[in-house]
Amino acid sequence: MSIYDTLNPQQLEAVKHNKGPLLILAGAGSGKTRVLTHRIAYLIDELDVNPWNILAITFTNKAAKEMRERVDNIVGYGSENIWVSTFHSTCVRILRRYIDCLGYDKNFTIYDTDDQKTLIRDVCKYLNIDTKTYKERSLLSAISAAKNELITPERYERESQGDLTKSKYASVYKEYQKRLKQNNALDFDDLIFKTVELFENHTDALEYYQKRFKYIMVDEYQDTNTVQFKLISTLASRRNEDGIIENNLCVVGDDDQSIYKFRGANIYNILNFEKQFPSTKVIKLEQNYRSTSTILDAANEVIHNNLGRKDKRLWTDNGEGEPLSFTQFDTEYEEANEIVSDMYNLILNDGHDYNEFAILYRTNAQSRIFEEKLILRNIPYKIVGGTNFYQRKEIKDILAYLKTIDNGLDDIAVKRIINIPRRGIGLTTIDRVTDYAIWNGMSFYEALKHAESIPGLGRGTSKISPFVSLIEVLKSKMANPAYSLEDLINEVLEATGYLSELEAEDTEEAQGRIENINELINKVVSYEKTTEEEPSLSGFLEEVALVADIDNLEDSNNVVVLMTLHSAKGLEFPYVYLCGMEEGIFPSYMCINSDDPTDIEEERRLCYVGITRAMKRLYLSAARQRMVRGETQFNRPSRFIGEIPRYLLSQSSSSGNRYSAGGNSSSQFGGSPAKTPYYGSGSTQKGGTWTPQENTQSDGKDVFANNPFITKGFGGSSKLGPTTFDKIKPSPAVIDYGVGDTVKHIKFGVGIVSEMVKQGDDYVVSVDFDTLGTKKMKASFAKLQKL
DNA sequence: CTCAAGAGCCTTTTT
DNA sequence: GGCTCTTGAG
């Protein structure tokens, strides 16, 4: 029995294809990672390909890590030589070696979105551009779009002649790029663009990598943009010994899951792959191993409404399963409350694990209410996305110190921390130093060293020198190989007084920040222990710059996860709650109002991604009324609900006000061939009165009805950020109480234990609280204290 | 230079 | 509704 026996015929065909371009159209849940890993194994084991010659590219570190693990498991020997990494880290690795050819220093820093914003602000200030007329956001996205299309500042300038707005953009782009170089920094888009540039201008570098990467595999190919395409197609177009271009390029993707157009993804990369590479072998994987046929049918029906797609239809022999459900609640509070209590019951009564559940939504802002409700019920959870750990103030501050020590050319980092903690260095001083630096063609930090010769600084001079010597001392300490990164961070915290200042604050918020800083120290320690290369400050900063929040999602953590539909791509959960299914929310009003009709198709693909995350059950929901940006909106159910055939869906409404589930043309749902008005029901208001829509009866079964555990109202607004909360792990509870004992709960206060039911290793404890009534909770999480 | 209060803007999605 | 930037008083 070989490892290939478990593959279906199409999968096997893909695995065995070993020469020339291969396009695998892999539907959701069709085992594409299996195919990729088995193909790698096949190349090595059966065709004697050197592992060193294989490159596998993914989009997220999580996907890379997963693939690495699975490859390690099935490839016996030499698997560590396979290069498995993300687009961005692949490029960083190449650039660290060759970027000096492009006039950058090899220890360049990587700018994240916040850094980019700061830089663009500086640029606008310098160029006297009013950021009210030219928004930073649009400037940045124009620059990003240009880079994604391989347009240099020079070309942008040339092509914008005669157009005033475009010329302004061009000048900003040019100056922005100039400053990046001065700061020895690259933004995310540069990482790939510069690598392509390197390959175009330095054939020795290109040849080296072409020779090395004889077999290239790309995952999530539908999300590649023009530069990324250029990168891989360049790498894959080496001439072999016989002078023939082999294009051993295997791409895996699903055009129905292309959801990153806003980031420059070019869906034509996958739709036209066969045209780009005429000898392409195309293999479709349509058997789904994840979901019930009901879930798949719903997904198929929804996506069928898109025009620009390759024809395919997922099928499964997993059986029919339960119908989907759709519930329309009155408010978003009710929606969150009922979802959480429904989940709570499934966990408590049916013994499900927390990590079988996911709550998915369109926008990050929707997570907050769920967070409140989950805290209230003591359900451990993790919110993926939103503000990433490394974007937190305290973390960015510490990192800015490290960056300053590592690369004094990075003005943005230096300016961030020059007055943190307070050193009495204000805006005036900073501006003077900046002018001096520009005038003398030096970096900001370099100018600080010459503070005494800067005119007009006055008292500022004496404030600057302690800062400079602090950095210099730390720099010289770093030169000692015995001095670890952990030592460095601790010294920064110590010498700046950053930590003691937080400790002195003595608030819950400061406590959270300290915990985050400790978490950062943990990450440094683990980096120093586990990195394959020699640990270095640059290396750590680079690793940190390229992590996405999703990368930290450990499957082993038994928690409920909350995330956007975008983040959920590639994941699966037995039970999925897809909430906020409303016109104006999902699809977002942006696409509804967009001039580009394909925008709504992207939104529909996002819906398809959401539906296909569910393995066993999918719960869809909407709210009639919802606060968005301080404004109450009244939205109709999403058009996507209307696109799911009636027989797959059990529908209900939370109030007595039920509406009938019409067919696809039903007017309750948003969407119609004609352009739809802004909001589903066409009304928004602040205060005032509003009459609910006329809704007719429904025979739908209300899956959330009569839930005994509903608590009305909510209160537990928490200051805890996700990163502090997700650390809660189930631990065997010390249970020193029994029925009749008085216990204390951290949130609910004092109550009396009325019942204890054993469930696995745990107990479900019912406690009567004076004011709140009876609550059920798991002993291991409730951390009840006997009084 | 720092802090506090108010104005205004925003949010769709992220490596 | 909440975050960030601006404004004005110490």
Side-chain angles (χ1 to χ4, degrees):
Chain A
M1 162 115 184
S2 86
I3 57 166
Y4 309 106
D5 292 347
T6 55
L7 299 169
N8 70 32
Q10 294 77 30
Q11 291 176 331
L12 191 62
E13 195 185 359
V15 165
K16 288 194 169 173
H17 176 96
N18 63 74
K19 272 224 168 356
L22 170 65
L23 168 62
I24 304 172
L25 289 170
S30 61
K32 69 183 162 99
T33 311
R34 256 169 81 77
V35 169
L36 279 177
T37 51
H38 282 74
R39 185 163 183 269
I40 292 173
Y42 189 84
L43 288 171
I44 295 170
D45 295 342
E46 310 291 324
L47 302 173
D48 281 331
V49 170
N50 188 337
W52 203 73
N53 291 132
I54 299 173
L55 169 66
I57 297 189
T58 62
F59 272 84
T60 64
N61 293 299
K62 185 180 195 307
K65 196 173 140 201
E66 232 169 73
M67 191 172 321
R68 166 112 267 157
E69 274 164 17
R70 287 167 74 166
V71 167
D72 284 350
N73 280 338
I74 59 170
V75 177
Y77 178 74
S79 72
E80 68 278 3
N81 287 326
I82 305 167
W83 191 330
V84 183
S85 77
T86 65
F87 267 104
H88 295 271
S89 22
T90 300
C91 292
V92 170
R93 217 161 137 183
I94 295 170
L95 291 173
R96 288 269 180 236
R97 205 168 147 168
Y98 286 100
I99 200 169
D100 48 342
C101 306
L102 299 175
Y104 288 77
D105 208 79
K106 282 179 183 173
N107 66 338
F108 58 86
T109 40
I110 301 165
Y111 275 2
D112 68 12
T113 325
D114 285 339
D115 302 327
Q116 287 181 287
K117 247 196 193 154
T118 315
L119 182 59
I120 208 91
R121 211 169 295 156
D122 285 357
V123 167
C124 288
K125 207 165 147 195
Y126 175 73
L127 294 176
N128 268 322
I129 285 172
D130 177 21
T131 48
K132 288 208 170 76
T133 356
Y134 300 94
K135 294 258 175 300
E136 290 153 16
R137 273 170 41 89
S138 16
L139 286 165
L140 275 173
S141 66
I143 292 172
S144 175
K147 288 182 179 178
N148 286 332
E149 292 300 321
L150 292 154
I151 298 169
T152 60
E154 293 72 31
R155 189 174 141 202
Y156 199 104
E157 193 173 34
R158 243 182 289 129
E159 290 174 3
S160 65
Q161 291 196 357
D163 184 326
L164 189 71
T165 311
K166 280 196 116 185
S167 304
K168 279 265 194 261
Y169 276 58
S171 62
V172 173
Y173 181 16
K174 203 172 170 186
E175 181 65 21
Y176 172 83
Q177 210 53 33
K178 189 178 140 202
R179 298 236 179 162
L180 275 174
K181 194 160 182 181
Q182 275 172 2
N183 293 359
N184 197 31
L186 276 74
D187 65 19
F188 286 132
D189 301 315
D190 276 345
L191 293 176
I192 301 167
F193 194 3
K194 291 292 167 193
T195 308
V196 169
E197 237 174 66
L198 172 78
F199 286 158
E200 273 172 354
N201 302 317
H202 299 270
T203 41
D204 51 325
L206 174 62
E207 273 166 20
Y208 172 81
Y209 287 106
Q210 279 184 336
K211 217 165 163 181
R212 166 153 188 187
F213 299 131
K214 291 183 178 149
Y215 291 88
I216 299 175
M217 271 161 258
V218 183
D219 195 11
E220 306 283 11
Y221 184 70
Q222 74 283 351
D223 291 329
T224 52
N225 59 32
T226 305
V227 219
Q228 286 161 341
F229 173 77
K230 179 80 181 171
L231 178 78
I232 51 177
S233 56
T234 308
L235 275 174
S237 52
R238 155 182 174 268
R239 278 179 200 283
N240 68 11
E241 296 68 28
D242 307 322
I244 297 163
I245 297 176
E246 282 185 341
N247 292 130
N248 285 326
L249 175 61
C250 163
V251 302
V252 188
D254 179 0
D255 51 311
D256 289 335
Q257 293 187 66
S258 160
I259 54 174
Y260 283 109
K261 190 171 137 198
F262 72 93
R263 194 165 82 187
N266 183 350
I267 194 171
Y268 294 103
N269 282 348
I270 192 163
L271 294 177
N272 294 340
F273 189 81
E274 298 156 75
K275 281 183 198 144
Q276 300 275 358
F277 300 100
S279 59
T280 296
K281 167 92 188 165
V282 182
I283 294 172
K284 286 185 191 179
L285 304 179
E286 291 172 298
Q287 182 175 2
N288 171 293
Y289 295 92
R290 177 186 296 156
S291 313
T292 65
S293 67
T294 305
I295 291 169
L296 286 187
D297 287 347
N300 281 328
E301 287 302 322
V302 170
I303 200 67
H304 193 68
N305 292 289
N306 274 6
L307 300 172
R309 62 186 289 263
K310 298 209 177 216
D311 187 51
K312 65 187 114 44
R313 195 170 182 93
L314 288 179
W315 63 277
T316 184
D317 50 23
N318 282 351
E320 205 173 285
E322 305 280 331
L324 277 57
S325 78
F326 172 65
T327 312
Q328 194 187 21
F329 297 99
D330 282 336
T331 65
E332 76 266 38
Y333 297 105
E334 202 184 315
E335 181 187 37
N337 195 40
E338 301 281 315
I339 286 178
V340 170
S341 74
D342 185 54
M343 196 156 67
Y344 181 79
N345 287 332
L346 286 167
I347 291 165
L348 225 51
N349 300 339
D350 298 356
H352 291 290
D353 276 322
Y354 297 109
N355 61 8
E356 290 175 50
F357 297 86
I359 299 175
L360 307 181
Y361 35 77
R362 178 67 238 268
T363 65
N364 282 308
Q366 290 167 259
S367 66
R368 182 164 249 117
I369 320 177
F370 286 99
E371 187 172 19
E372 287 173 3
K373 303 292 176 192
L374 288 161
I375 290 173
L376 211 58
R377 276 178 205 276
N378 256 304
I379 297 177
Y381 65 93
K382 157 104 183 153
I383 296 180
V384 176
T387 25
N388 170 324
F389 177 76
Y390 294 103
Q391 289 172 329
R392 289 165 189 276
K393 268 188 223 79
E394 60 278 15
I395 302 303
K396 287 216 76 173
D397 288 344
I398 305 301
L399 291 177
Y401 271 101
L402 300 185
K403 282 182 181 175
T404 303
I405 294 162
D406 186 47
N407 172 16
L409 297 176
D410 185 350
D411 290 357
I412 303 271
V414 182
K415 284 183 185 171
R416 181 183 180 100
I417 45 142
I418 188 161
N419 201 29
I420 290 179
R422 307 255 121 79
R423 295 187 178 91
I425 302 173
L427 212 66
T428 332
T429 311
I430 292 174
D431 280 348
R432 295 244 159 84
V433 178
T434 306
D435 287 347
Y436 182 86
I438 292 173
W439 198 247
N440 291 283
M442 57 173 66
S443 72
F444 183 77
Y445 185 73
E446 197 62 31
L448 286 177
K449 286 183 173 173
H450 298 91
E452 68 287 346
S453 45
I454 300 177
L457 269 194
R459 211 164 291 123
T461 321
S462 60
K463 305 263 171 68
I464 289 173
S465 60
F467 172 75
V468 173
S469 46
L470 171 71
I471 298 295
E472 290 302 311
V473 167
L474 292 170
K475 266 189 179 173
S476 64
K477 288 200 173 174
M478 248 342 260
N480 177 359
Y483 193 75
S484 70
L485 291 177
E486 188 188 358
D487 296 336
L488 178 67
I489 290 203
N490 281 321
E491 187 131 6
V492 166
L493 291 168
E494 177 82 14
T496 57
Y498 199 97
L499 201 58
S500 48
E501 204 167 87
L502 280 176
E503 279 163 357
E505 243 182 78
D506 195 33
T507 59
E508 208 178 322
E509 194 194 335
Q511 196 50 44
R513 291 186 194 276
I514 292 172
E515 277 172 40
N516 287 334
I517 290 174
N518 287 332
E519 187 60 30
L520 180 69
I521 296 175
N522 290 342
K523 300 212 184 221
V524 168
V525 173
S526 98
Y527 164 78
E528 289 190 300
K529 263 196 213 132
T530 59
T531 183
E532 288 163 27
E533 293 142 28
E534 186 68 14
S536 69
L537 186 48
S538 307
F540 175 69
L541 290 171
E542 157 193 327
E543 197 166 286
V544 152
L546 296 177
V547 296
D549 205 34
I550 192 85
D551 300 335
N552 296 316
L553 182 66
E554 294 287 337
D555 301 333
S556 53
N557 278 3
N558 190 7
V559 298
V560 171
V561 296
L562 288 77
M563 65 184 111
T564 62
L565 290 156
H566 282 88
S567 298
K569 192 169 61 139
L571 307 178
E572 59 181 26
F573 304 91
Y575 300 90
V576 170
Y577 293 89
L578 189 42
C579 63
M581 297 296 294
E582 295 143 48
E583 288 289 300
I585 302 290
F586 187 34
S588 77
Y589 75 92
M590 290 285 214
C591 326
I592 295 176
N593 289 346
S594 164
D595 299 327
D596 182 352
T598 65
D599 281 356
I600 200 78
E601 298 214 343
E602 173 134 326
E603 209 75 351
R604 189 173 282 113
R605 290 192 291 269
L606 195 54
C607 183
Y608 175 80
V609 166
I611 294 173
T612 52
R613 296 312 95 196
M615 299 160 80
K616 293 182 186 158
R617 293 218 59 174
L618 175 64
Y619 305 97
L620 302 147
S621 60
R624 288 193 179 80
Q625 175 185 339
R626 174 185 302 270
M627 279 281 253
V628 181
R629 271 173 288 157
E631 195 180 53
T632 306
Q633 288 184 5
F634 300 93
N635 296 328
R636 284 189 292 180
S638 168
R639 69 190 67 187
F640 302 140
I641 296 293
E643 290 171 6
I644 298 172
R646 183 76 204 284
Y647 65 92
L648 299 173
L649 199 60
S650 96
Q651 302 197 40
S652 59
S653 176
S654 64
S655 65
N657 250 338
R658 309 200 158 189
Y659 65 89
S660 73
N664 288 355
S665 60
S666 166
S667 61
Q668 283 98 354
F669 302 108
S672 64
K675 198 162 166 164
T676 325
Y678 187 120
Y679 296 111
S681 59
S683 63
T684 70
Q685 68 172 48
K686 268 187 170 163
T689 52
W690 172 79
T691 324
Q693 292 167 237
E694 259 312 295
N695 287 321
T696 43
Q697 90 299 335
S698 155
D699 54 1
K701 172 176 142 243
D702 187 348
V703 287
F704 304 113
N706 301 324
N707 193 311
F709 300 111
I710 298 169
T711 35
K712 287 290 174 203
F714 60 98
S717 94
S718 158
K719 295 210 171 75
L720 291 172
T723 40
T724 50
F725 208 81
D726 66 34
K727 274 187 235 135
I728 297 172
K729 288 194 179 99
S731 54
V734 185
I735 300 176
D736 57 351
Y737 48 83
V739 174
D741 281 339
T742 306
V743 291
K744 190 178 170 188
H745 180 271
I746 192 161
K747 199 141 236 141
F748 305 140
V750 178
I752 296 166
V753 178
S754 62
E755 194 188 12
M756 289 181 72
V757 182
K758 189 160 173 60
Q759 190 194 85
D761 300 336
D762 207 348
Y763 281 91
V764 175
V765 186
S766 307
V767 184
D768 291 332
F769 294 99
D770 261 11
T771 44
L772 299 151
T774 305
K775 304 237 179 238
K776 284 193 182 187
M777 54 198 82
K778 280 198 175 183
S780 56
F781 280 104
K783 303 218 174 83
L784 295 167
Q785 215 186 337
K786 190 185 170 184
L787 293 180

